[in-house]
Short mmCIF file of all heavy atoms in Angstrom, two decimals:
data_model
loop_
_atom_site.label_atom_id
_atom_site.label_comp_id
_atom_site.label_asym_id
_atom_site.label_seq_id
_atom_site.Cartn_x
_atom_site.Cartn_y
_atom_site.Cartn_z
N SER S 1 -5.31 36.06 -32.65
CA SER S 1 -6.75 35.79 -32.66
C SER S 1 -7.51 36.88 -31.90
O SER S 1 -8.58 37.32 -32.33
CB SER S 1 -7.03 34.42 -32.03
OG SER S 1 -6.44 33.39 -32.79
N GLN S 2 -6.95 37.30 -30.76
CA GLN S 2 -7.61 38.37 -30.00
C GLN S 2 -7.65 39.66 -30.80
O GLN S 2 -8.67 40.35 -30.85
CB GLN S 2 -6.88 38.59 -28.68
CG GLN S 2 -7.50 39.68 -27.82
CD GLN S 2 -6.84 39.81 -26.46
OE1 GLN S 2 -6.38 38.82 -25.88
NE2 GLN S 2 -6.76 41.03 -25.95
N MET S 3 -6.54 39.99 -31.46
CA MET S 3 -6.50 41.20 -32.26
C MET S 3 -7.45 41.10 -33.45
O MET S 3 -8.15 42.07 -33.78
CB MET S 3 -5.07 41.43 -32.75
CG MET S 3 -4.81 42.82 -33.29
SD MET S 3 -4.71 44.02 -31.93
CE MET S 3 -4.60 45.55 -32.85
N ALA S 4 -7.49 39.93 -34.07
CA ALA S 4 -8.36 39.73 -35.24
C ALA S 4 -9.82 39.85 -34.84
O ALA S 4 -10.63 40.48 -35.55
CB ALA S 4 -8.08 38.37 -35.87
N PHE S 5 -10.19 39.23 -33.72
CA PHE S 5 -11.58 39.30 -33.27
C PHE S 5 -11.97 40.73 -32.95
O PHE S 5 -13.05 41.21 -33.34
CB PHE S 5 -11.78 38.41 -32.04
CG PHE S 5 -13.19 38.44 -31.50
CD1 PHE S 5 -14.17 37.63 -32.06
CD2 PHE S 5 -13.52 39.28 -30.45
CE1 PHE S 5 -15.47 37.67 -31.57
CE2 PHE S 5 -14.82 39.32 -29.96
CZ PHE S 5 -15.80 38.51 -30.52
N SER S 6 -11.10 41.45 -32.25
CA SER S 6 -11.39 42.83 -31.88
C SER S 6 -11.53 43.72 -33.11
O SER S 6 -12.44 44.55 -33.20
CB SER S 6 -10.28 43.37 -30.97
OG SER S 6 -10.16 42.58 -29.80
N LEU S 7 -10.63 43.55 -34.06
CA LEU S 7 -10.69 44.35 -35.28
C LEU S 7 -11.92 44.00 -36.10
O LEU S 7 -12.63 44.88 -36.59
CB LEU S 7 -9.42 44.12 -36.11
CG LEU S 7 -9.36 44.81 -37.48
CD1 LEU S 7 -9.41 46.32 -37.31
CD2 LEU S 7 -8.11 44.40 -38.24
N GLY S 8 -12.20 42.70 -36.26
CA GLY S 8 -13.35 42.28 -37.04
C GLY S 8 -14.66 42.77 -36.45
O GLY S 8 -15.60 43.10 -37.19
N PHE S 9 -14.74 42.80 -35.13
CA PHE S 9 -15.94 43.31 -34.46
C PHE S 9 -16.06 44.82 -34.64
O PHE S 9 -17.13 45.33 -35.01
CB PHE S 9 -15.86 42.96 -32.96
CG PHE S 9 -17.09 43.29 -32.18
CD1 PHE S 9 -18.08 42.34 -32.00
CD2 PHE S 9 -17.25 44.55 -31.62
CE1 PHE S 9 -19.22 42.64 -31.26
CE2 PHE S 9 -18.38 44.86 -30.88
CZ PHE S 9 -19.37 43.90 -30.71
N HIS S 10 -14.98 45.52 -34.40
CA HIS S 10 -15.01 46.99 -34.44
C HIS S 10 -15.30 47.51 -35.83
O HIS S 10 -16.02 48.52 -35.98
CB HIS S 10 -13.66 47.54 -33.95
CG HIS S 10 -13.51 49.01 -34.16
ND1 HIS S 10 -14.21 49.95 -33.43
CD2 HIS S 10 -12.74 49.71 -35.04
CE1 HIS S 10 -13.88 51.17 -33.84
NE2 HIS S 10 -13.00 51.05 -34.81
N ILE S 11 -14.78 46.86 -36.85
CA ILE S 11 -14.88 47.41 -38.20
C ILE S 11 -16.32 47.49 -38.68
O ILE S 11 -16.67 48.36 -39.48
CB ILE S 11 -14.02 46.56 -39.19
CG1 ILE S 11 -13.68 47.39 -40.43
CG2 ILE S 11 -14.73 45.27 -39.58
CD1 ILE S 11 -12.76 48.54 -40.14
N ILE S 12 -17.20 46.63 -38.17
CA ILE S 12 -18.61 46.70 -38.55
C ILE S 12 -19.22 48.00 -38.04
O ILE S 12 -19.86 48.75 -38.78
CB ILE S 12 -19.37 45.49 -38.01
CG1 ILE S 12 -18.85 44.20 -38.64
CG2 ILE S 12 -20.87 45.64 -38.27
CD1 ILE S 12 -19.45 42.94 -38.04
N PHE S 13 -19.01 48.29 -36.76
CA PHE S 13 -19.58 49.50 -36.16
C PHE S 13 -18.93 50.75 -36.74
O PHE S 13 -19.61 51.76 -36.98
CB PHE S 13 -19.40 49.45 -34.65
CG PHE S 13 -20.20 48.37 -33.99
CD1 PHE S 13 -19.65 47.13 -33.77
CD2 PHE S 13 -21.50 48.59 -33.60
CE1 PHE S 13 -20.38 46.11 -33.17
CE2 PHE S 13 -22.25 47.59 -33.00
CZ PHE S 13 -21.68 46.34 -32.79
N ALA S 14 -17.62 50.69 -36.97
CA ALA S 14 -16.92 51.85 -37.53
C ALA S 14 -17.42 52.16 -38.94
O ALA S 14 -17.61 53.33 -39.29
CB ALA S 14 -15.42 51.58 -37.55
N SER S 15 -17.64 51.13 -39.74
CA SER S 15 -18.10 51.33 -41.12
C SER S 15 -19.48 51.96 -41.16
O SER S 15 -19.73 52.93 -41.90
CB SER S 15 -18.11 50.00 -41.87
OG SER S 15 -16.81 49.46 -41.96
N ILE S 16 -20.40 51.43 -40.37
CA ILE S 16 -21.75 51.98 -40.34
C ILE S 16 -21.73 53.41 -39.82
O ILE S 16 -22.45 54.28 -40.33
CB ILE S 16 -22.68 51.10 -39.50
CG1 ILE S 16 -22.73 49.67 -40.07
CG2 ILE S 16 -24.09 51.68 -39.48
CD1 ILE S 16 -23.51 48.69 -39.21
N SER S 17 -20.90 53.66 -38.81
CA SER S 17 -20.82 55.00 -38.23
C SER S 17 -20.26 56.02 -39.21
O SER S 17 -20.53 57.22 -39.08
CB SER S 17 -19.96 54.97 -36.96
OG SER S 17 -20.57 54.18 -35.96
N MET S 18 -19.48 55.59 -40.18
CA MET S 18 -18.96 56.50 -41.19
C MET S 18 -20.02 56.85 -42.23
O MET S 18 -20.00 57.93 -42.82
CB MET S 18 -17.74 55.89 -41.89
CG MET S 18 -16.48 55.88 -41.06
SD MET S 18 -15.01 55.43 -42.01
CE MET S 18 -15.30 53.69 -42.32
N VAL S 19 -20.95 55.93 -42.47
CA VAL S 19 -21.90 56.09 -43.57
C VAL S 19 -23.23 56.67 -43.11
O VAL S 19 -23.80 57.56 -43.77
CB VAL S 19 -22.14 54.72 -44.26
CG1 VAL S 19 -23.18 54.84 -45.36
CG2 VAL S 19 -20.83 54.17 -44.80
N MET S 20 -23.76 56.20 -41.99
CA MET S 20 -25.10 56.59 -41.56
C MET S 20 -25.28 58.10 -41.38
O MET S 20 -26.35 58.63 -41.69
CB MET S 20 -25.49 55.83 -40.30
CG MET S 20 -26.97 55.87 -40.01
SD MET S 20 -27.49 54.70 -38.74
CE MET S 20 -27.47 53.18 -39.68
N PRO S 21 -24.26 58.84 -40.89
CA PRO S 21 -24.45 60.30 -40.79
C PRO S 21 -24.75 60.97 -42.13
O PRO S 21 -25.48 61.97 -42.17
CB PRO S 21 -23.12 60.78 -40.20
CG PRO S 21 -22.63 59.63 -39.41
CD PRO S 21 -23.01 58.42 -40.22
N PHE S 22 -24.19 60.45 -43.23
CA PHE S 22 -24.48 61.04 -44.53
C PHE S 22 -25.92 60.76 -44.95
O PHE S 22 -26.55 61.59 -45.61
CB PHE S 22 -23.49 60.51 -45.58
CG PHE S 22 -22.11 61.07 -45.43
CD1 PHE S 22 -21.09 60.29 -44.92
CD2 PHE S 22 -21.83 62.38 -45.77
CE1 PHE S 22 -19.80 60.79 -44.78
CE2 PHE S 22 -20.54 62.90 -45.63
CZ PHE S 22 -19.54 62.10 -45.13
N LEU S 23 -26.44 59.58 -44.58
CA LEU S 23 -27.85 59.29 -44.83
C LEU S 23 -28.72 60.25 -44.01
O LEU S 23 -29.72 60.79 -44.51
CB LEU S 23 -28.16 57.85 -44.47
CG LEU S 23 -27.46 56.77 -45.30
CD1 LEU S 23 -27.69 55.39 -44.69
CD2 LEU S 23 -27.95 56.79 -46.74
N MET S 24 -28.35 60.43 -42.77
CA MET S 24 -29.05 61.35 -41.88
C MET S 24 -29.04 62.76 -42.46
O MET S 24 -30.07 63.45 -42.48
CB MET S 24 -28.36 61.31 -40.52
CG MET S 24 -28.91 62.18 -39.44
SD MET S 24 -27.98 61.89 -37.89
CE MET S 24 -26.40 62.70 -38.28
N PHE S 25 -27.89 63.18 -42.95
CA PHE S 25 -27.76 64.51 -43.54
C PHE S 25 -28.64 64.66 -44.77
O PHE S 25 -29.34 65.67 -44.93
CB PHE S 25 -26.29 64.76 -43.90
CG PHE S 25 -26.08 65.90 -44.85
CD1 PHE S 25 -26.13 67.22 -44.41
CD2 PHE S 25 -25.83 65.66 -46.20
CE1 PHE S 25 -25.94 68.27 -45.28
CE2 PHE S 25 -25.64 66.70 -47.08
CZ PHE S 25 -25.69 68.02 -46.62
N ALA S 26 -28.61 63.67 -45.66
CA ALA S 26 -29.37 63.77 -46.91
C ALA S 26 -30.87 63.84 -46.63
O ALA S 26 -31.59 64.64 -47.25
CB ALA S 26 -29.05 62.57 -47.81
N ALA S 27 -31.36 62.99 -45.72
CA ALA S 27 -32.78 63.00 -45.40
C ALA S 27 -33.19 64.32 -44.75
O ALA S 27 -34.26 64.88 -45.07
CB ALA S 27 -33.12 61.82 -44.48
N TYR S 28 -32.36 64.83 -43.85
CA TYR S 28 -32.69 66.08 -43.17
C TYR S 28 -32.65 67.27 -44.14
O TYR S 28 -33.50 68.16 -44.07
CB TYR S 28 -31.71 66.29 -42.02
CG TYR S 28 -32.08 67.42 -41.08
CD1 TYR S 28 -33.39 67.60 -40.68
CD2 TYR S 28 -31.11 68.28 -40.58
CE1 TYR S 28 -33.74 68.63 -39.80
CE2 TYR S 28 -31.44 69.31 -39.70
CZ TYR S 28 -32.75 69.47 -39.32
OH TYR S 28 -33.09 70.48 -38.45
N ARG S 29 -31.69 67.25 -45.04
CA ARG S 29 -31.62 68.33 -46.05
C ARG S 29 -32.89 68.35 -46.89
O ARG S 29 -33.48 69.42 -47.14
CB ARG S 29 -30.40 68.10 -46.95
CG ARG S 29 -30.23 69.14 -48.05
CD ARG S 29 -29.30 68.64 -49.12
NE ARG S 29 -29.78 67.39 -49.70
CZ ARG S 29 -29.07 66.59 -50.48
NH1 ARG S 29 -27.80 66.89 -50.75
NH2 ARG S 29 -29.58 65.48 -50.99
N ASN S 30 -33.35 67.18 -47.31
CA ASN S 30 -34.56 67.12 -48.12
C ASN S 30 -35.79 67.53 -47.32
O ASN S 30 -36.73 68.14 -47.86
CB ASN S 30 -34.75 65.71 -48.69
CG ASN S 30 -33.75 65.41 -49.79
OD1 ASN S 30 -33.13 66.32 -50.35
ND2 ASN S 30 -33.57 64.14 -50.11
N TYR S 31 -35.79 67.19 -46.04
CA TYR S 31 -36.92 67.61 -45.20
C TYR S 31 -36.97 69.13 -45.09
O TYR S 31 -38.04 69.74 -45.20
CB TYR S 31 -36.82 66.99 -43.81
CG TYR S 31 -37.77 67.60 -42.83
CD1 TYR S 31 -39.14 67.35 -42.90
CD2 TYR S 31 -37.30 68.46 -41.82
CE1 TYR S 31 -40.02 67.94 -42.02
CE2 TYR S 31 -38.18 69.04 -40.93
CZ TYR S 31 -39.54 68.79 -41.03
OH TYR S 31 -40.41 69.38 -40.16
N LEU S 32 -35.81 69.74 -44.85
CA LEU S 32 -35.79 71.20 -44.73
C LEU S 32 -36.18 71.87 -46.04
O LEU S 32 -36.77 72.96 -46.04
CB LEU S 32 -34.39 71.66 -44.31
CG LEU S 32 -33.95 71.26 -42.89
CD1 LEU S 32 -32.51 71.69 -42.64
CD2 LEU S 32 -34.88 71.84 -41.84
N ARG S 33 -35.88 71.21 -47.16
CA ARG S 33 -36.19 71.80 -48.47
C ARG S 33 -37.64 71.57 -48.86
O ARG S 33 -38.32 72.48 -49.35
CB ARG S 33 -35.26 71.19 -49.52
CG ARG S 33 -35.40 71.81 -50.91
CD ARG S 33 -34.57 71.03 -51.91
NE ARG S 33 -35.03 69.64 -52.03
CZ ARG S 33 -34.34 68.68 -52.63
NH1 ARG S 33 -33.14 68.95 -53.15
NH2 ARG S 33 -34.83 67.46 -52.71
#
């Protein structure tokens, strides 16, 4: 249960952290262009 809770909590932040930089990159690229 402790491992499951820790993994379930972490995976939300890890998933968003993998995706949001690409959104940041795309918006910044368009701004520079």
Side-chain angles (χ1 to χ4, degrees):
S1 297
Q2 181 175 326
M3 195 74 186
F5 179 83
S6 301
L7 176 62
F9 186 93
H10 171 71
I11 202 67
I12 296 174
F13 293 92
S15 297
I16 301 173
S17 295
M18 286 190 290
V19 177
M20 196 168 283
F22 288 106
L23 296 171
M24 180 177 73
F25 164 77
Y28 190 42
R29 179 197 58 192
N30 288 343
Y31 168 72
L32 293 176
R33 185 187 62 193

